[in-house]
Structures are given as structure tokens and as C-alpha cells.
Amino acid sequence: VPNAIPLGFFGFLTTASRNPIEIWGTRAFKEPYIVGKWLGVPNIVINDPAGVRHCLVENAKNYVMQPLRQRILRPLLRDGLLTAEGALWRRTRKAIAPVFTPRHTAGFSETMQDRSERFADGLAARAGGMVDGSHEMTLLTFDILQATLFTDDIADDGETFARSTRDFLGSMGRVDPLDLLGAPAFLPRLRRMRGRKSMDYFRGLIARTITRRREQIARDPDGAPNDLLTLLVKTDGLSASEIEDNIITFIGAGHETTARSLAWTLYLLSQAPAERAAVEAELDTILPTLSHPSEWLERLPYTRAVFEESLRLYPPAPSLNRTALAPDRVGDVAIPAGATVLVMPWLIHRHEMLWDRPDHFIPSRFLPGNREALDRYQYLPFGVGPRVCIGASFALMEGVIALACLLRGLRFDYEEAAPPEVVQRITVQPNGGLPLRVSRRTPA
Ligand code: HEM
């Protein structure tokens, strides 16, 4: 099995802390398994769907979240679902799962539509000009998340909340070389230190918001707004600090991801006139016949397929990182105890063995009739197995509703000569933003 990471020690260290997805050479997109070593720890990349199923589903108990990922995320997200392990994770996942049922998610569709329409109106007022599509989509998904989490009812005020969230996410998005070298936790990570004060403020703000809502619900159980916070406060078996950690986790995991996928979708459509026309035709003919936004995900198959194809080409979470507890085996590859196992949507989604024309934008792969032919383990934007994204149906619904509202009356064009540089900063994003020209479109 070849080592497909063609970099020496320092090359790896600087690349992995600057832009981790650049470490992968072309062979990583051709081989079923790749074996390497980092600081004496074996690293095994699994591209084979059967191997993915084995490690993330059948033998999932043998794999825990990789210490490197935990070192980076746990100081920020603490006992939230993304960074919890063992009995704590099992208990909180079970408690929170009902909050993300399709019924509750559908209950948020009107808010998603309302915020997206307002946002599209704001962009329409800037028609003719340039916007940073990546930044704009972050503003939109942040607004949707704020409305679905808190109904805008935040202690202090929305403006300070937005600012401290930006600081918090800024400190989350950078991998410190000390983390890659496995340095002990007491050594300060310079890249995160700057964010310490705003992090404390951010946590305090969330805690005050939760306390206020708890008091409100105690006074008037049916009078509280119908949002994620109310659902969480009313969930049995979650302590105040667990609610706090999970709200922070939803903010960390639940809006930049969706924002990136929306921005990449706008970019991809700007490069594919026929696909764009097909989406516009669907929005012009079918959308006016639909009464409620909770139907859009199922009734706008082309818009959905475009969004799903964009999640294939640019999976916002490009890497699922685990550590093996006991020795294991996948195919003819031995996995020693302590090995790092990487399941990488970034590689699997563009793998030559798995996709026809892997680097091409072909939304029809995800149309009903075609998508059934895909292996469940070759398409993993939301992961798979017990740790699968709890917000997946929320994100899909949000993505399709936001796209429908934006593309109904607007067009976005990428006019740069060179394609955007793809960088990984927790999420996969266009380096330096995504310049797009906005123009109005008259529906047919
Ligand atoms: C987990 C992707 C949106 C909350 C995950 C995982 C992936 C992922 C790949 C699994 C990580 C692993 O196995 O190591 C995405 C993408 C999104 C998205 C691509 C948008 C396009 C959301 C939203 C929320 C959310 C909207 C919440 C509001 C979470 C949580 C986990 C998670 C809490 C941890 C689940 C657990 O370990 O039990 N997400 N996500 N995500 N996601 Fe998402």
C-alpha cells in the first residue's frame, strides 16, 4: 500500500497547519487504502466504502474521536455532542435526538424561508455590484441559526452576539502547530490565546440567555418561543452546562458548514449555465405551486440535487478522524491499536474508483432514479454511523430553502480568471472569499 503523502517532516508540518487538504497527492484519489506515519503513529486513510462501513458502523465501538481533533475542539466545545465521548456522548445524543426529528426540523422551515427571503431582498438592492459570496452566506446562515436557536431573543443584544460568535469561530478555525506535534495542553496555543477573553464573554452570554429562558418557561411553560433553545431546555436529562455546551456546538457546527456549501453551490452554478437554467426552470414552474416551505426539500428535486452535488465536490467537513482502540483489519490492511484512521469525504467524493468524471459538476447523479445507485458509503458529507451529523436534515432543508429564495430572483456570477483556491480551515472554503456579481433575474 503506497504512502500517498509526498511530503517530509517540515513540509507536512507547515502544510498541515496552513492548509491540511493540500497534503494529499494525486495517488490519494486512486487507492483504496493509504498508509503513513506521523510522529510514530500509523495513519490509515480509508477510501474503500466497505472499509468505511466497517470502521464507522459495524465496528464503530473500536474507534474514538482522534486526540488531535479533540485537542483543537474540546477547549471550545467541551461536553457538546461533537466532542463528547463514551457514556456522556450516548446519554446526550439520546436526549438531543428528538430535538432534530423531521417534525421539528419542518417546524423551522418558515423561519428559514422568511430569513432567506429577507436576505435575498437585501442582495437585490445591491444588484449590479460585487459581493463576497462566502461572507454573505455566513451572514445568512448565521441569521437563520440565530432565529431557529433563540428567536433573536438573546441576552445582551444580537450585535454583540454576532461579534463574539465571529471571535469564537475565528479561534476555532486555526490548527496550531503545537497541536500537530502533540504538545501538552498546558502550553499556550498562540493562535487561540487572542480569543480567550471573547470566548469567556461568549460563554457568559449563552449562559445568561439559557437562564433567562429557563425562568420564562418556569413562569409560563406554553408561552416560550418555539425554537431550539426551548426544545433543549424542556429536554429531560440535560444539565444547564450541557445545554450551554451543545448550543455552542450547534453554533460551531451548524452555520459555517451550511454557509460554505451554499457559497460553493453559487460558484458551481455560475460555471454551469445549463445547470443554472434547469434550477431556474424548476423554481419558476414548481415553486409557485407549493404551499409550505417544509415541502420544498422533497418537491424541488433539481435544486436539491445541485446542493447535494456541491456537498460532494466541496464537503464542508472534509475529514472524519478516529483513533483505533484495539487492533483491527480492513481489506488487507492491518490497523494497529492507537492508529489514526481517516475517512475523508474530500478524497472519497472525488475518488476515481467510485465516480464517473469525479471532478465534474453533475447534479443529475442525485436525481431520484440515479441516486439509488450510489453506495451509502461513497457519499459522506454528513458522516455515517452513530456519530452521523445530528443536524443533517436541518442543513439539507435549510440549503434548499435558502437556494430557492436566492435563485428565484437573483443570479450570481464569478468573473475571476482563476478558480478560487480551496483551503481547509475546519471547513473547506474559498481562500480570501468568493467574489460574485449579483444581478436580478425576472422569473419566466
Ligand atoms: C456532526 C457535517 C450541519 C450539528 C457532523 C459530522 C459531519 C457533519 C461530517 C460527523 C463528524 C464525524 O463523524 O467526525 C455537517 C455539514 C453540515 C452540517 C456538511 C451542513 C452542510 C449541521 C447543523 C447542525 C450540526 C445545521 C446543528 C444545528 C452537528 C453535531 C454533530 C455533527 C452536534 C456531532 C454529532 C455527534 O457526534 O453525535 N456534522 N454538518 N451540523 N453535526 Fe453537522
Side-chain angles (χ1 to χ4, degrees):
V1 181
N3 184 344
I5 305 174
L7 294 168
F9 179 83
F10 288 106
F12 181 85
L13 191 64
T14 47
T15 309
S17 56
R18 192 178 59 83
N19 186 13
I21 54 170
E22 259 182 32
I23 62 178
W24 304 105
T26 50
R27 294 176 80 172
F29 298 86
K30 295 182 181 163
E31 306 288 342
Y33 297 102
I34 299 152
V35 176
K37 246 187 192 175
W38 174 244
L39 301 175
V41 178
N43 276 241
I44 294 140
V45 178
I46 302 191
N47 284 333
D48 175 29
V52 173
R53 189 179 67 218
H54 177 79
C55 293
L56 293 187
V57 183
E58 292 161 352
N59 200 18
K61 280 206 175 73
N62 189 44
Y63 295 91
V64 290
M65 293 299 171
Q66 185 207 17
L68 168 64
R69 168 191 189 271
Q70 296 294 82
R71 271 198 299 276
I72 296 167
L73 294 180
R74 234 188 114 78
L76 300 165
L77 307 178
R78 300 191 190 167
D79 286 342
L81 269 182
L82 199 65
T83 40
E85 286 282 12
L88 171 75
W89 172 78
R90 268 192 300 281
R91 180 171 60 74
T92 40
R93 175 93 192 194
K94 204 167 154 211
I96 294 174
V99 169
F100 285 95
T101 54
R103 185 172 67 86
H104 283 140
T105 305
F108 295 128
S109 61
E110 286 180 65
T111 306
M112 292 169 177
Q113 178 191 4
D114 176 56
R115 297 301 169 122
S116 304
E117 274 174 354
R118 247 197 265 175
F119 199 83
D121 289 346
L123 284 177
R126 292 153 71 188
M130 299 294 294
V131 298
D132 173 355
S134 191
H135 176 66
E136 293 298 329
M137 291 304 105
T138 304
L139 295 179
L140 170 58
T141 58
F142 182 73
D143 190 41
I144 292 175
L145 192 70
Q146 172 166 331
T148 45
L149 265 176
F150 306 118
T151 320
D152 294 335
D153 183 19
I154 294 164
D156 306 359
D157 65 84
E159 198 39 56
T160 21
F161 173 61
R163 195 162 1 94
S164 56
T165 304
R166 271 199 303 278
D167 292 341
F168 156 67
L169 289 172
S171 61
M172 188 168 145
R174 292 229 156 231
V175 178
D176 196 288
L178 287 180
D179 291 316
L180 290 172
L181 290 168
F186 63 80
L187 289 177
R189 282 14 182 201
L190 288 176
R191 285 182 174 175
R192 278 202 293 275
M193 262 184 18
R194 257 183 315 141
R196 172 70 50 205
K197 228 170 124 198
S198 46
M199 184 65 206
D200 292 345
Y201 176 78
F202 180 65
R203 277 211 164 254
L205 174 58
I206 303 291
R208 286 193 291 285
T209 307
I210 296 168
T211 307
R212 227 173 42 165
R213 183 64 64 84
R214 288 191 123 174
E215 291 165 358
Q216 184 189 0
I217 291 173
R219 275 197 312 273
D220 175 11
D222 300 323
N226 183 18
D227 55 21
L228 280 167
L229 178 58
T230 294
L231 290 172
L232 282 176
V233 168
K234 288 185 172 176
T235 296
D236 288 332
L238 287 181
S239 69
S241 79
E242 285 165 1
I243 295 177
E244 182 182 312
D245 291 344
N246 278 296
I247 296 256
I248 290 175
T249 296
F250 297 161
I251 295 169
H255 86 283
E256 281 218 313
T257 40
T258 326
R260 296 299 164 246
S261 46
L262 285 171
W264 285 118
T265 309
L266 298 182
Y267 166 70
L268 287 164
L269 286 175
S270 77
Q271 305 299 297
E275 305 302 339
R276 179 156 78 181
V279 171
E280 290 173 352
E282 180 172 83
L283 297 178
D284 293 349
T285 53
I286 298 177
L287 193 55
T289 70
L290 304 179
S291 55
H292 197 268
S294 60
E295 294 175 51
W296 294 8
L297 182 60
E298 297 305 325
R299 304 285 295 278
L300 298 173
Y302 213 89
T303 310
R304 176 182 178 154
V306 159
F307 188 59
E308 293 192 304
E309 174 71 340
S310 149
L311 284 167
R312 179 184 74 83
L313 283 169
Y314 299 101
S319 179
L320 315 178
N321 307 359
R322 301 290 193 270
T323 292
L325 294 173
D328 195 7
R329 172 168 285 281
V330 282
D332 54 3
V333 179
I335 302 178
T340 298
V341 166
L342 300 173
V343 172
M344 299 206 48
W346 175 254
L347 300 178
I348 295 174
H349 287 183
R350 293 176 182 244
H351 204 280
E352 283 184 9
M353 278 168 17
L354 301 172
W355 302 91
D356 170 37
R357 288 176 291 158
D359 292 330
H360 286 69
F361 176 56
I362 308 177
S364 59
R365 307 178 203 266
F366 291 96
L367 285 177
N370 293 343
R371 65 167 308 137
E372 292 77 4
L374 299 177
D375 188 314
R376 169 67 188 92
Y377 303 95
Q378 77 180 94
Y379 181 64
L380 307 160
F382 299 105
V384 70
R387 306 285 311 227
V388 68
C389 177
I390 203 165
S393 54
F394 182 102
L396 275 179
M397 177 164 285
E398 178 184 1
V400 168
I401 291 176
L403 283 175
C405 294
L406 291 168
L407 302 176
R408 183 155 55 182
L410 295 172
R411 255 191 202 156
F412 298 86
D413 285 292
Y414 181 83
E415 296 169 348
E416 309 292 307
E421 187 202 354
V422 186
V423 289
Q424 179 185 358
R425 303 249 183 286
I426 302 278
T427 59
V428 161
Q429 50 188 275
N431 195 16
L434 182 70
L436 293 175
R437 186 174 302 285
V438 190
S439 52
R440 284 175 200 262
R441 176 179 90 81
T442 313

